[in-house]
Amino acid sequence: MKTALVLGAGGFIGGHLVKRLKREGFWVRGVDLKFNEYAETEADDFVVGDLRDPYFVRQIIDRRFDEVYQLAADMGGAGYIFTGENDANVMHNSATINLNVLDVAHKRNIKRIFYSSSACMYPAYNQEDPDNPNCTEDSAYPAAPDSEYGWEKLFSERLYFAYGRNYGMEPRVARFHNIFGPEGTWTGGKEKAPAAMCRKVAMTPNGGEIEIWGDGLQTRSFLYIDECLDGVLRLTRSNFQGPVNIGSDEMVTINQLADMVADIAGKTIRKNNIPGPTGVRGRNSDNRLIEQMLNWRPSQPLRSGLEETYSWIERQVMRNAA
Ligand code: NAD
């Protein structure tokens, strides 16, 4: 039986990845600071602990796994990573996890390891025009991410590739662009735009108003979780090491995102654009490299993923209110 290790398995993407690997017949060990809040884990072995602790990392990476996925990071949406209040923690915690994991994986002679970087590592100067952001993989330098979260991702990407060059490891690095779906954080300050929008619309009566950070003309693209996992597995099992974007190239403004969610909910909702953290002005996944190297592109429109997500978040809102 093939074995997989999922670090960050209590999180949104990690939780879904465990399920996918179980469906494929893997024996899976999941590791996280916490269990997933929204779904019971399907991992064969779920270890709760802190990957900042090198001794703990040696305990959980105790063998050669066929596939290793490193998704653990201190992260959140705009309210967490763009306010500046969590910069030291974000950089310290995530970098320490990656330093520990690579050190031990290398010593256990693990070769293939997937690492989730982020589109937040792209330079801010290429993302000032909301209609024409440039996020080609080779536009990363000269580096100028707009958040410390992005700088840590850039450092860690380089760390994974350094272990590849110096120790014969086989890193596979993806730059995720706004992954969303059911069973993700939807409240509490760490949620991202699609989940926040679904929650606000679900909590607002027909004819009401929701608040949107910024003028809402900032652009983004959003990729549904199932499609993200298709890309991750395809990359990990390929001979292409990346870095490569895993995202959707269906770009929308944040105001359009809000309108789409309201339409799915069947509600008329007014938008109140207020000052707030917004990140870069425009961002879109450039999918040319992944299409060329892996012959892969997302297959569903944003709306269908949002329908699934809205109905899950609406249920959470109703359960919380009950
Ligand atoms: P998430 O926050 O739901 O999952 C990350 C998990 O890491 C959490 O469950 C958290 O508890 C765990 N973790 C944090 N510190 C830990 C520690 N010290 N020890 C053990 N576990 C620890 O986030 P996600 O959306 O599932 O993202 C997974 C990965 O993908 C992250 O690396 C993130 O930076 C990256 N990413 C995600 C997106 C997105 O849109 N979701 C976009 C770009 C990059």
Side-chain angles (χ1 to χ4, degrees), residues 146-179:
D146 74 325
S147 65
E148 303 303 355
Y149 169 76
W151 278 103
E152 188 282 327
K153 288 293 187 191
L154 199 55
F155 163 76
S156 289
E157 283 189 7
R158 299 188 68 97
L159 187 67
Y160 279 80
F161 290 125
Y163 272 77
R165 288 193 304 279
N166 294 167
Y167 296 126
M169 288 182 71
E170 298 173 356
R172 296 289 179 266
V173 175
R175 294 171 177 164
F176 290 159
H177 289 246
N178 296 315
I179 314 304

Side-chain angles (χ1 to χ4, degrees), residues 11-13 32-34 50-51 71 73 116 149 153 179 192:
F12 165 53
I13 302 173
D32 205 296
L33 278 174
K34 57 165 181 63
D50 191 338
L51 293 164
L71 299 152
S116 51
Y149 169 76
K153 288 293 187 191
I179 314 304
K192 313 225 194 56

Side-chain angles (χ1 to χ4, degrees), residues 238-293:
S238 78
N239 290 324
F240 179 49
Q241 67 170 13
V244 68
N245 293 326
I246 292 188
S248 157
D249 54 9
E250 182 184 340
M251 189 169 79
V252 293
T253 66
I254 295 298
N255 283 340
Q256 286 169 336
L257 178 74
D259 290 340
M260 205 182 274
V261 173
D263 192 54
I264 289 167
K267 294 181 183 177
T268 305
I269 300 279
R270 279 190 317 281
K271 301 184 288 294
N272 181 16
N273 295 94
I274 57 161
T278 56
V280 293
R281 199 63 190 141
R283 178 173 290 153
N284 192 15
S285 183
D286 187 312
N287 286 348
R288 284 172 292 181
L289 185 65
I290 199 161
E291 284 198 55
Q292 184 195 334
M293 301 307 294

Side-chain angles (χ1 to χ4, degrees), residues 20-317:
R20 175 72 71 92
L21 291 166
K22 283 307 300 168
R23 278 214 302 280
E24 289 190 356
F26 277 76
W27 183 93
V28 181
R29 170 174 292 164
V31 181
D32 205 296
L33 278 174
K34 57 165 181 63
F35 284 97
N36 187 291
E37 303 85 314
Y38 310 115
E40 201 156 314
T41 184
E42 292 181 20
D44 299 274
D45 180 29
F46 192 99
V47 191
V48 173
D50 191 338
L51 293 164
R52 289 170 300 184
D53 172 2
Y55 179 71
F56 174 70
V57 176
R58 280 201 294 278
Q59 286 179 318
I60 54 109
I61 307 183
D62 58 353
R63 68 192 79 170
R64 271 198 240 171
F65 293 86
D66 294 299
E67 295 182 2
V68 177
Y69 297 89
Q70 199 319 70
L71 299 152
D74 189 1
M75 62 108 56
Y80 189 73
I81 56 177
F82 296 132
T83 54
E85 286 161 18
N86 306 296
D87 286 351
N89 276 342
V90 164
M91 296 186 90
H92 173 88
N93 293 341
S94 297
T96 305
I97 293 170
N98 288 311
L99 288 161
N100 286 342
V101 166
L102 276 167
D103 179 55
V104 177
H106 149 59
K107 287 175 179 156
R108 293 270 188 237
N109 210 10
I110 286 170
K111 296 282 179 231
R112 187 72 53 105
I113 184 163
F114 171 86
Y115 172 61
S116 51
S117 179
S118 163
C120 288
M121 48 59 62
Y122 282 117
Y125 56 77
N126 279 335
Q127 302 173 80
E128 283 161 9
D129 175 357
D131 298 321
N132 295 294
N134 175 13
C135 293
T136 53
E137 285 80 352
D138 60 6
S139 70
Y141 299 96
D146 74 325
S147 65
E148 303 303 355
Y149 169 76
W151 278 103
E152 188 282 327
K153 288 293 187 191
L154 199 55
F155 163 76
S156 289
E157 283 189 7
R158 299 188 68 97
L159 187 67
Y160 279 80
F161 290 125
Y163 272 77
R165 288 193 304 279
N166 294 167
Y167 296 126
M169 288 182 71
E170 298 173 356
R172 296 289 179 266
V173 175
R175 294 171 177 164
F176 290 159
H177 289 246
N178 296 315
I179 314 304
F180 74 101
E183 296 173 13
T185 305
W186 61 278
T187 187
K190 281 194 164 190
E191 66 280 13
K192 313 225 194 56
M197 219 61 88
C198 289
R199 184 198 68 234
K200 289 177 187 181
V201 169
M203 293 177 75
T204 304
N206 191 17
E209 180 177 281
I210 60 170
E211 290 186 336
I212 294 189
W213 287 342
D215 62 10
L217 300 178
Q218 62 272 32
T219 52
R220 291 294 185 277
S221 66
F222 303 94
L223 182 71
Y224 191 60
I225 180 66
D226 292 358
E227 308 236 45
C228 168
L229 297 182
D230 293 342
V232 167
L233 296 178
R234 195 177 274 234
L235 172 64
T236 304
R237 294 164 187 173
S238 78
N239 290 324
F240 179 49
Q241 67 170 13
V244 68
N245 293 326
I246 292 188
S248 157
D249 54 9
E250 182 184 340
M251 189 169 79
V252 293
T253 66
I254 295 298
N255 283 340
Q256 286 169 336
L257 178 74
D259 290 340
M260 205 182 274
V261 173
D263 192 54
I264 289 167
K267 294 181 183 177
T268 305
I269 300 279
R270 279 190 317 281
K271 301 184 288 294
N272 181 16
N273 295 94
I274 57 161
T278 56
V280 293
R281 199 63 190 141
R283 178 173 290 153
N284 192 15
S285 183
D286 187 312
N287 286 348
R288 284 172 292 181
L289 185 65
I290 199 161
E291 284 198 55
Q292 184 195 334
M293 301 307 294
L294 300 178
N295 193 22
W296 181 84
R297 55 171 296 113
S299 59
Q300 341 173 357
L302 169 61
R303 188 178 171 109
S304 62
L306 271 183
E307 286 169 358
E308 301 287 331
T309 309
Y310 183 78
S311 85
W312 182 80
I313 290 181
E314 190 185 38
R315 285 201 302 279
Q316 309 306 308
V317 168

